[in-house]
């Protein structure tokens, strides 16, 4: 198994200084390496440390430097087929200066032999370093580089050797390994970004061609799912097959109920459900929060302030965790990316299985409730502005800028009309 590593905020145990920042290392298991730095959850986002951290400038520089070093260390672990313990020790102690010198000598040797072609992964590492200095995310580039290294039979290749045939073979390799169209397009787009960046540097002598033409699906998005009123009734009444293990059946029902809860509060994202807190977001029979998706927007975007209908309250009563800060604390915190991703993937599989068992026209997923709620509102001829307020969309157009927020009684009536729709 390939070694992978990332810098994370370890939210499993809080100390007096906050949560520890660690390197999480995977390879047939996982180990953690402390960086002896700390942060609270509110100062840590999807891309790591936030500017709100009181020691941001010093700590951000340290983490960026460590992240770039980590990329080289992981590459070395995989090139030498190191296991988890060996990888941990190498990442802990760093790559010997001797290895760095070997890489430099190899580059010099190619130059002396007259082989001055720009090499893909050498430039790739430079590109990643530049993005780190620009404080941009490098995850997509680290992941895609590893996918290419798994595919290629050589340690590196000339950038000018990237052609349609190579890209087509890589695409077919990924399809054969159960990668979908969206995933293949993602890897190709990421590779294209690096390729075009190299092409702009005249000193590298990259050919002015576009080998990606015709290979990248620029419109991978699917049509929104649909659900009829009759299908919704079947969904609410779903019971697992009688031969399903009791523990598995309970998990399936819980995931079904969480999907319904998303719908009952206006079709909101699963991550917003995961982050709900009792004191902060639930009060006076209402649910109030800002969408996680808008966290980078000024003031966090529009505020959601929707009524909790009896159906939504019943799910909170059934599955809520009243002795924890979060309403549904059994869902891993989104800051724990690995655990949260694992939970989401299991949820998607469960929703797909329920959809298949009920023989629904479309397969439901964690994003489906948003489309369904909006579609039902349109079919009931609900005013678009009301739906936007319920779902937290920013209003567009000149006239909407001067429109006041609709009163609760109006929006609540619409909410109930949509989720209790009879036909």
């Amino acid at each position: 198994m390939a070694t992978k590593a990332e810098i994370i905020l370890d939210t499993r145990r809080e100390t007096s200084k906050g949560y520890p920042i660690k390197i999480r290392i995977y390879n047939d298991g996982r180990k953690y390496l402390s960086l002896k730095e700390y942060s609270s959850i509110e100062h840590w986002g999807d891309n790591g440390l936030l500017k709100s951290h009181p020691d941001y400038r010093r700590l951000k520089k340290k983490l960026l430097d460590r992240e770039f070093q980590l990329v080289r260390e992981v590459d070395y672990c995989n090139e030498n087929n190191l296991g988890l313990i060996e990888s941990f020790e190498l990442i802990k102690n760093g790559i010997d200066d001797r290895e760095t010198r070997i890489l430099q000598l190899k580059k010099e040797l190619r130059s002396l032999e007259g082989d001055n072609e720009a090499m893909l992964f050498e430039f790739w590492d430079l590109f990643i370093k530049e993005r780190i200095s620009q404080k941009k995310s490098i995850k997509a580039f680290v992941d895609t580089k590893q996918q290419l290294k798994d595919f290629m039979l050589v340690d590196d290749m000339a950038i000018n050797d990237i052609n349609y045939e190579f890209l087509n073979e890589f695409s077919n390799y990924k399809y054969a390994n159960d990668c979908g169209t969206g995933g293949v397009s993602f890897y190709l787009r990421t590779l294209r970004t690096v390729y075009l960046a190299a092409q702009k540097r005249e000193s590298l002598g990259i050919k002015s061609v576009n080998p990606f033409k015709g290979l990248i699906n620029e419109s991978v998005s699917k049509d929104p799912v649909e659900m009829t009123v009759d299908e919704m009734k079947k969904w609410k009444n779903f019971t697992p097959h009688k031969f399903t293990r009791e523990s598995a059946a309970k998990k399936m029902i819980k995931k079904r109920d969480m999907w319904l809860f998303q719908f009952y509060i206006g079709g909101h994202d699963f991550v917003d459900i995961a982050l709900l807190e009792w004191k902060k977001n639930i009060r006076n029979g209402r649910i109030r929060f800002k969408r996680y998706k808008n966290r980078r927007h000024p003031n966090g975007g529009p505020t959601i302030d929707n009524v909790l209908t009896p159906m939504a309250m019943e799910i909170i009563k059934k599955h809520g965790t009243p002795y924890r800060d979060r309403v549904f604390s059994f869902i891993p915190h989104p800051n724990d990316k690995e655990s949260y991703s694992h939970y989401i993937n299991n949820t998607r599989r469960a929703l797909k299985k329920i959809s298949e068992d009920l023989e629904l026209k479309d397969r439901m997923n964690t994003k489906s409730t948003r489309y369904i709620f909006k579609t039902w509102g349109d079919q009931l001829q609900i005013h678009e502005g009301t739906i936007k307020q319920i779902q937290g969309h920013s209003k567009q157009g000149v006239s909407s800028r001067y429109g006041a927020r609709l009163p609760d009684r109006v929006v609540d009536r619409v909410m109930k009309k949509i989720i209790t729709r009879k036909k």
Side-chain angles (χ1 to χ4, degrees), residues 130-265:
E130 289 177 350
R131 287 187 67 87
I132 291 174
S133 67
Q134 296 163 5
K135 300 180 180 179
K136 294 180 179 179
S137 173
I138 64 171
K139 186 178 187 304
F141 299 95
V142 172
D143 291 346
T144 301
K145 180 185 175 185
Q146 187 58 53
Q147 296 298 323
L148 287 165
K149 290 176 79 72
D150 291 344
F151 164 69
M152 291 163 54
L153 299 177
V154 293
D155 292 334
D156 207 344
M157 67 180 291
I159 299 176
N160 274 331
D161 287 343
I162 296 176
N163 53 27
Y164 180 92
E165 288 78 9
F166 169 80
L167 297 172
N168 192 47
E169 286 180 13
F170 173 67
S171 299
N172 290 330
Y173 162 79
K174 294 306 301 175
Y175 284 128
N177 285 276
D178 297 326
C179 185
T181 303
V184 172
S185 292
F186 169 79
Y187 294 128
L188 290 177
R189 286 197 304 271
T190 306
L191 172 55
R192 182 178 62 182
T193 299
V194 177
Y195 182 88
L196 293 176
Q199 208 174 52
K200 291 176 181 177
R201 290 160 168 84
E202 293 182 9
S203 62
L204 298 182
I206 307 302
K207 294 179 292 188
S208 58
V209 296
N210 178 15
F212 298 85
K213 187 175 182 179
L215 281 169
I216 298 179
N217 187 342
E218 302 288 4
S219 57
V220 180
S221 60
K222 300 178 181 178
D223 293 332
V225 297
E226 294 182 359
M227 177 179 272
T228 65
V229 174
D230 287 339
E231 286 178 326
M232 181 64 82
K233 290 178 182 177
K234 290 167 65 176
W235 186 269
K236 292 177 182 177
N237 295 323
F238 168 78
T239 54
H241 192 278
K242 62 181 179 181
F243 294 119
T244 305
R245 293 195 311 274
E246 184 178 359
S247 59
K250 287 182 179 178
K251 289 179 180 178
M252 252 180 141
I253 292 298
K254 180 182 282 189
K255 288 176 169 55
R256 186 276 314 270
D257 288 348
M258 297 312 300
W259 186 95
L260 283 170
F261 185 78
Q262 287 181 259
F263 179 73
Y264 290 152
I265 64 169

Side-chain angles (χ1 to χ4, degrees), residues 4-152:
K4 297 181 180 179
E6 61 182 341
I7 296 175
I8 59 116
L9 185 68
D10 188 353
T11 57
R12 295 176 299 173
R13 184 177 302 163
E14 188 174 15
T15 71
S16 59
K17 298 179 181 180
Y19 292 102
I21 300 173
K22 297 181 180 180
I23 297 175
R24 184 162 54 195
I25 306 161
Y26 315 87
N27 188 326
D28 289 327
R30 75 182 76 165
K31 288 182 73 66
Y32 294 83
L33 176 63
S34 175
L35 295 180
K36 298 180 180 179
E37 299 284 358
Y38 302 85
S39 174
S40 59
I41 289 178
E42 56 263 31
H43 299 318
W44 194 270
D46 275 354
N47 294 320
L49 197 70
L50 299 177
K51 290 184 178 180
S52 57
H53 192 285
D55 196 14
Y56 174 78
R57 293 185 66 180
R58 178 197 68 83
L59 185 52
K60 184 65 175 180
K61 183 180 184 304
K62 177 178 179 178
L63 295 180
L64 285 172
D65 290 343
R66 189 64 187 91
E67 187 172 18
F68 180 68
Q69 181 184 340
L70 185 60
V71 171
R72 292 182 56 246
E73 292 164 349
V74 169
D75 281 347
Y76 182 85
C77 292
N78 290 321
E79 287 166 1
N80 293 276
N81 298 315
L82 302 187
L84 178 60
I85 302 302
E86 295 168 311
S87 296
F88 176 81
E89 290 300 322
L90 182 133
I91 292 172
K92 178 181 178 183
N93 299 314
I95 299 177
D96 195 309
D97 288 340
R98 175 174 171 272
E99 299 300 333
T100 303
R101 182 59 181 151
I102 288 173
L103 291 174
Q104 292 172 341
L105 289 172
K106 284 182 178 179
K107 186 174 182 179
E108 291 174 18
L109 180 60
R110 283 204 315 275
S111 178
L112 289 171
E113 291 175 341
D115 184 6
N116 292 317
E117 283 195 292
M119 304 301 287
L120 176 62
F121 293 141
E122 280 186 10
F123 178 75
W124 202 295
D125 289 341
L126 173 64
F127 182 81
I128 287 176
K129 186 175 182 180
E130 289 177 350
R131 287 187 67 87
I132 291 174
S133 67
Q134 296 163 5
K135 300 180 180 179
K136 294 180 179 179
S137 173
I138 64 171
K139 186 178 187 304
F141 299 95
V142 172
D143 291 346
T144 301
K145 180 185 175 185
Q146 187 58 53
Q147 296 298 323
L148 287 165
K149 290 176 79 72
D150 291 344
F151 164 69
M152 291 163 54

